[in-house]
Amino acid sequence: MMRCGRFHYHAPRTLRDACAMLQDAGSDGMLLAGGTDLVPNMKRRQQTPKVVISLRHVAGLRDAGPDGNRVRLGAMLTLSDLTAKEEVRARHTALFKAAAQVATPHLRNMGTLGGNLCLDTRCNYYDQNYEWRKAINFCMKKAGEICWVAPSSRRCWAISSTDTAPALIALGAEVALATRDGERTLGVADFCRDDGIQYLTRNPDEILTQVLLPIPAPGESSTYWKLRRRGSFDFPVLSVAAWIRRPPEGRVEAARLVLGSVASRPVIAEAAAGLVGTTLSEDVIEAVAEEASRLAKPLDNTDFSLGWRKKAARYLITGALRELRGDDPQTLGPLARRAAELAPVG
Ligand SMILES: Cc1cc2nc3c(=O)[nH]c(=O)nc-3n(C[C@H](O)[C@H](O)[C@H](O)COP(=O)(O)OP(=O)(O)OC[C@H]3O[C@@H](n4cnc5c(N)ncnc54)[C@H](O)[C@@H]3O)c2cc1C
Ligand code: SF4
């Protein structure tokens, strides 16, 4: 049985105390939310904090509610809390579909929104136990010198595998980060960084406290499509979050497309600009999907073959856009049918 190494455990009750403990711990400290990513990583010695600061009892971090033209979602809301909210399901469909497809019901009951946004990047050479990694002399993400995926590379190419980040970027969300000295907000797109090791722009002493989500204006709609090996539960191998603003029977006024699990951060597809001013005809959708799918340049460090994953990107983007056009999910293939059947599980 794998066990965590020894560590000091703190369970602060206030945000102020949590911030102070995190700052005092310096590079030895890590935050614990639901623990569904961190604890297995600690058992495999991928992450080895000497001080673990739990956010579970910190007051206010599970609050949610309207704030002007935005909704505030506490970082410690579990993914089940989130998907049980009718307004998330009805108005922020991309977020609902992303959260509802994370892992399994048990893991969604533990796993939090904040933990999902801060999820460690993944790679076949890293998501292994200590002995396996030791046998290949580790890699530069933890304890080694070389990248086994691209041996001449100076950077790590581990992949962002969070489901909610692409959805939140497509929805134009921001995060609030707190320290002992105050709070700052920044877009989720700017919170993510294209580096498999330093995959967030979060400073080590910052705690993600809230997600700030714009309340959709009339005509706005969104969706999230996810490719994974097992439909019942699995990390994304590829995902697409799409958002448009289009008055009924009118032309698209604004659009965003974000690809997940294709790089160390979610990737924004500029090709979405090609949707603006159109009625989402089949020709337009196919042209945009073709261009956006070029961003999927998989390396050989995750599931499925490289070439097939690249081809699948076009299929996913096309499907997501057809759904936003209003096509019946039953006509859009198994991924859409499965997503359409998602129900909140508490
Ligand atoms: C079998 C299995 C399947 C999974 N499938 C998926 C999947 O399909 N999609 C997916 O996205 N994830 C998946 N996960 C990963 C994980 O369960 C989820 O991402 C979950 O939402 C993580 O949240 P958590 O609260 O458990 O995070 P934790 O494990 O507690 O923390 C994760 C990381 O975030 C940091 N952190 C947590 N909260 C904060 C905060 N408020 N501020 C700053 N840093 C913070 C922690 O220090 C840690 O580095 C899977 C995990 C398992 C074990
Ligand atoms: S991409 Fe390279 S450095 Fe990063 S985890 Fe994989 S093998 Fe290690």
Side-chain angles (χ1 to χ4, degrees):
M1 180 197 281
M2 287 192 290
R3 293 177 194 277
C4 294
R6 294 177 73 84
F7 58 89
H8 294 280
Y9 179 77
H10 296 302
R13 303 244 158 207
T14 66
L15 183 59
R16 173 184 281 264
D17 285 352
C19 288
M21 288 170 184
L22 185 61
Q23 194 173 41
D24 291 347
S27 58
D28 288 337
M30 281 193 80
L31 296 167
L32 178 79
T36 61
D37 186 52
L38 180 60
V39 172
N41 286 2
M42 287 172 66
K43 290 182 178 177
R44 292 188 294 252
R45 305 297 189 270
Q46 291 157 296
Q47 289 166 324
T48 48
K50 295 194 177 75
V51 181
V52 172
I53 300 147
S54 170
L55 297 175
R56 203 166 291 180
H57 303 290
V58 174
L61 290 185
R62 285 184 74 161
D63 293 350
D67 178 8
N69 57 358
R70 300 197 288 195
V71 180
R72 287 184 174 265
L73 298 170
M76 284 299 287
L77 282 168
T78 66
L79 299 168
S80 297
D81 290 339
L82 206 60
T83 53
K85 290 187 183 303
E86 190 44 44
E87 73 266 25
V88 173
R89 186 190 182 101
R91 299 165 101 180
H92 310 285
T93 312
L95 177 60
F96 169 77
K97 287 190 174 176
Q101 292 182 81
V102 171
T104 62
H106 298 88
L107 289 162
R108 291 194 294 275
N109 287 343
M110 294 286 291
T112 64
L113 178 60
N116 192 252
L117 277 172
C118 298
L119 181 67
D120 196 9
T121 51
R122 295 176 60 76
C123 171
N124 286 344
Y125 295 90
Y126 172 72
D127 293 303
Q128 306 288 348
N129 64 32
Y130 179 84
E131 287 72 23
W132 192 102
R133 288 181 292 118
K134 188 176 177 198
I136 60 162
N137 206 16
F138 303 102
C139 76
M140 71 165 82
K141 186 159 160 70
K142 180 68 179 175
E145 312 250 304
I146 193 171
C147 171
W148 291 108
V149 176
S152 59
S153 173
R154 290 191 182 176
R155 61 159 284 190
C156 163
W157 298 89
I159 298 204
S160 162
S161 302
T162 148
D163 277 301
T164 62
L168 288 169
I169 293 172
L171 293 168
E174 293 187 322
V175 287
L177 300 167
T179 62
R180 209 179 219 165
D181 303 321
E183 189 187 79
R184 68 173 174 135
T185 57
L186 77 166
V188 177
D190 296 324
F191 183 58
C192 304
R193 178 187 272 157
D194 192 20
D195 182 297
I197 297 173
Q198 302 294 335
Y199 56 93
L200 296 175
T201 57
R202 167 185 165 259
N203 295 320
D205 62 343
E206 285 181 318
I207 299 179
L208 195 167
T209 54
Q210 298 180 81
V211 170
L212 309 165
L213 198 53
I215 294 175
E220 291 184 11
S221 58
S222 64
T223 190
Y224 180 78
W225 281 46
K226 169 174 177 172
L227 180 71
R228 50 185 162 172
R229 182 169 283 271
R230 291 167 292 192
S232 53
F233 84 98
D234 233 325
F235 282 95
V237 178
L238 184 68
S239 67
V240 176
W243 169 93
I244 58 166
R245 188 169 65 239
R246 182 190 182 197
E249 308 302 318
R251 291 178 182 272
V252 174
E253 294 174 349
R256 289 188 211 110
L257 264 179
V258 184
L259 304 193
S261 307
V262 295
S264 300
R265 52 160 297 165
V267 175
I268 298 173
E270 303 296 337
L275 301 169
V276 176
T278 77
T279 54
L280 296 178
S281 68
E282 199 57 21
D283 285 352
V284 167
I285 286 180
E286 281 180 13
V288 167
E290 170 68 33
E291 195 183 332
S293 66
R294 292 198 192 120
L295 296 170
K297 295 179 188 154
L299 291 171
D300 195 14
N301 61 351
T302 184
D303 202 0
F304 295 131
S305 75
L306 276 79
W308 187 81
R309 257 186 295 145
K310 202 169 157 62
K311 281 188 202 150
R314 195 172 151 193
Y315 167 77
L316 247 68
I317 299 165
T318 307
L321 293 176
R322 285 180 183 153
E323 185 191 330
L324 292 188
R325 180 170 65 187
D327 290 15
D328 179 355
Q330 297 303 325
T331 67
L332 295 178
L335 286 180
R337 282 198 293 279
R338 196 152 48 227
E341 285 154 13
L342 292 172
V345 186

